[in-house]
Amino acid sequence: VLLRSDAVRNLFAEQGAIKVLTSTLDRFNSLTTDAQYQAALSLWVACFSPSISAQVDQAVLSTLVAVIRAKPMMRVVRLVLSTIRVVLSQDEDREKILCEAVIELKLPKILADIADSKLMNDVELHDDVEFLEQTLARNFKVLTTFERHEQELLSKRLNWTMIHEEIFWKENAHKFEHNNFSSVHRLIDLLDSEDPKTVAVACSDVGYFVQYFPNGRLIVDKYGGKQKVMALLQSSEPEVRKQALTACSKIMINNWESFKSK
């Protein structure tokens, strides 16, 4: 009820509203049914504030889509889809990039499944699904594997998929020079993530970048990646330690072109 007040929403935004609510929804399956609903309701109401809606990024959208995939009660599905609708409607300048993010997260398939289910008997849900399908169709773009990698970096959550395998790096490492190595910056930043899987994948990617980009080791060192990877050798997570060790061994090779020719 308090969040229905603009003054309260603005104050909540200053206190990091999105981070608080997203961290709660990240533990969705461990919440009680009532807590799931209250968290979804709070985020929905909060996002009517432009200052809060502007904080919704790819990582938050990833959390929202994960909530839907958890197959919660219908009223939570309705709230989450309505939240995504509100966010897309708030800022025309960000509509395209946010749509690309949820398309990459396979939201169109989820919407299609909902459209074919009995859930569509709900009038409000039907309206939100129809709006989202039309909005996503208008912004649809077939992403290249490199663009998919960039989108995942922006989501701040990495998973073991084909865009983190060696073949991807053989074909795309040269593209990471784009925009003053901005994607490399993001990748190195993710070495500080609190998510162990993201850190492990980021270590692997750093190793492949060093291996396949000329003087990649110098670039990684310049932006603080070498120091971060070496620190991760002491991680309490076995997979992180494993990937950090592999990345470190690649960083220690002075000339990969000479190494490959041997």
Side-chain angles (χ1 to χ4, degrees):
V1 176
L2 288 175
L3 285 174
R4 296 184 185 277
S5 162
D6 287 338
V8 174
R9 283 202 297 261
N10 291 335
L11 180 61
F12 195 29
E14 294 174 3
Q15 300 301 315
I18 288 296
K19 184 176 182 180
V20 171
L21 293 172
T22 303
S23 63
T24 300
L25 289 171
D26 278 335
R27 298 181 286 105
F28 188 78
N29 288 329
S30 66
L31 301 176
T32 65
T33 300
D34 186 59
Q36 291 175 349
Y37 174 73
Q38 292 299 329
L41 177 63
S42 296
L43 183 59
W44 173 68
V45 175
C47 282
F48 280 94
S49 167
S51 60
I52 293 180
S53 180
Q55 297 175 33
V56 174
D57 56 15
Q58 286 86 345
V60 177
L61 291 173
S62 179
T63 293
L64 292 177
V65 173
V67 167
I68 301 175
R69 285 204 178 99
K71 298 182 178 180
M73 65 184 87
M74 185 178 72
R75 60 179 182 167
V76 172
V77 173
R78 186 195 305 125
L79 281 171
V80 172
L81 289 180
S82 184
T83 299
I84 296 174
R85 176 177 181 171
V86 169
V87 171
L88 294 182
S89 304
Q90 288 273 13
D91 189 346
E92 290 185 3
D93 293 335
R94 294 204 308 147
E95 180 183 294
K96 181 178 176 59
I97 189 170
L98 293 177
C99 282
E100 288 179 354
V102 290
I103 288 171
E104 181 66 15
L105 291 165
K106 306 294 189 295
L107 182 60
K109 175 64 168 61
I110 294 173
L111 294 175
D113 289 342
I114 293 174
D116 291 336
S117 71
K118 294 180 180 179
L119 291 177
M120 286 299 279
N121 293 329
D122 183 285
V123 177
E124 291 182 5
L125 184 62
H126 182 281
D127 188 46
D128 286 337
V129 169
E130 191 172 76
F131 172 87
L132 290 171
E133 285 184 326
Q134 292 174 356
T135 303
L136 296 183
R138 185 170 68 247
N139 288 277
F140 178 76
K141 175 187 175 184
V142 177
L143 301 179
T144 65
T145 53
F146 178 69
E147 289 170 330
R148 287 174 58 196
H149 193 281
E150 284 191 311
Q151 289 291 334
E152 194 169 279
L153 287 177
L154 289 170
S155 78
K156 300 180 181 179
R157 294 186 184 185
L158 307 183
N159 290 288
W160 291 112
T161 61
M162 63 173 290
I163 56 174
H164 300 288
E165 295 177 358
E166 185 171 11
I167 185 64
F168 167 83
W169 286 95
K170 282 183 179 179
E171 298 173 353
N172 294 281
H174 65 284
K175 298 178 182 177
F176 282 77
E177 187 175 9
H178 174 70
N179 198 20
N180 196 28
F181 296 100
S182 60
S183 291
V184 178
H185 277 283
R186 293 191 185 97
L187 185 59
I188 291 173
D189 285 344
L190 289 180
L191 293 171
D192 296 321
S193 171
E194 295 181 0
D195 175 40
K197 182 190 292 183
T198 293
V199 176
V201 177
C203 282
S204 177
D205 276 3
V206 166
Y208 281 131
F209 174 75
V210 167
Q211 183 176 350
Y212 288 104
F213 189 89
N215 294 318
R217 63 189 295 274
L218 299 180
I219 295 164
V220 167
D221 191 15
K222 177 181 177 181
Y223 297 132
K226 177 181 176 181
Q227 183 177 358
K228 289 185 178 183
V229 170
M230 293 186 71
L232 289 170
L233 291 172
Q234 306 301 319
S235 171
S236 61
E237 297 288 338
E239 186 62 22
V240 171
R241 290 199 305 272
K242 174 184 175 183
Q243 296 302 331
L245 180 60
T246 301
C248 277
S249 67
K250 293 179 178 180
I251 291 173
M252 296 304 171
I253 295 176
N254 289 323
N255 189 330
W256 266 99
E257 290 305 314
S258 175
F259 182 79
K260 293 173 190 173
S261 64
K262 291 181 179 180

